[in-house]
Amino acid sequence: MNILSAIEALGALAQEHRLALFRLLVQAGDKGMAAGAIADALEVPNSSLSFHLTQLRNADLILQERQHRSLIYRANYPAMNALVAYLMENCCAGADCGSETACEAPAQERKSA
């Protein structure tokens, strides 16, 4: 991933409804969700939802597929993983981030998202 793609992806996620939408699709897994089910789950009007879906699609964070009369949306896991890898590149001064390093905060200091 390059810096411009990372900026576009992070910009798309930097909005409350889009972040909630993306997290919902990540939780939905490979089966994805229909647009109507997303609107119901997030309590967002269809017109607003359409705008947010477009922003996430333009950032390549979600995929859209037509199934019969429905549009199904899925998280684009390879793009998500590429963004996380880009953010973590050279983390911890090159140390293995899986080990106990300065990169990991003690359990009591960690904050959940």
Side-chain angles (χ1 to χ4, degrees):
M1 174 168 280
N2 62 47
I3 192 166
L4 296 178
S5 297
I7 290 169
E8 185 174 10
L10 292 169
L13 293 171
Q15 199 280 340
E16 179 183 356
H17 294 300
R18 287 194 293 271
L19 182 58
L21 193 163
F22 183 72
R23 293 187 70 202
L24 181 67
L25 291 177
V26 167
Q27 293 167 4
D30 287 335
K31 68 179 181 172
M33 292 181 73
I38 295 169
D40 290 344
L42 297 178
E43 299 179 351
V44 175
N46 287 337
S47 58
S48 296
L49 179 63
S50 178
F51 173 77
H52 295 307
L53 288 166
T54 298
Q55 297 299 308
L56 291 170
R57 280 186 58 218
N58 289 343
D60 200 32
L61 290 171
I62 64 172
L63 305 170
Q64 173 187 303
E65 177 188 343
R66 180 167 292 283
Q67 288 184 359
H68 308 287
R69 295 177 57 190
S70 297
L71 290 175
I72 304 298
Y73 293 90
R74 293 178 183 78
N76 184 348
Y77 294 104
M80 178 186 73
N81 290 334
L83 176 60
V84 171
Y86 178 81
L87 294 172
M88 298 295 293
E89 189 176 315
N90 300 321
C91 149
C92 304
D96 179 13
C97 290
S99 64
E100 292 192 28
T101 65
C103 191
E104 291 184 347
Q108 67 271 14
E109 292 180 25
R110 290 187 185 144
K111 296 181 182 177
S112 63

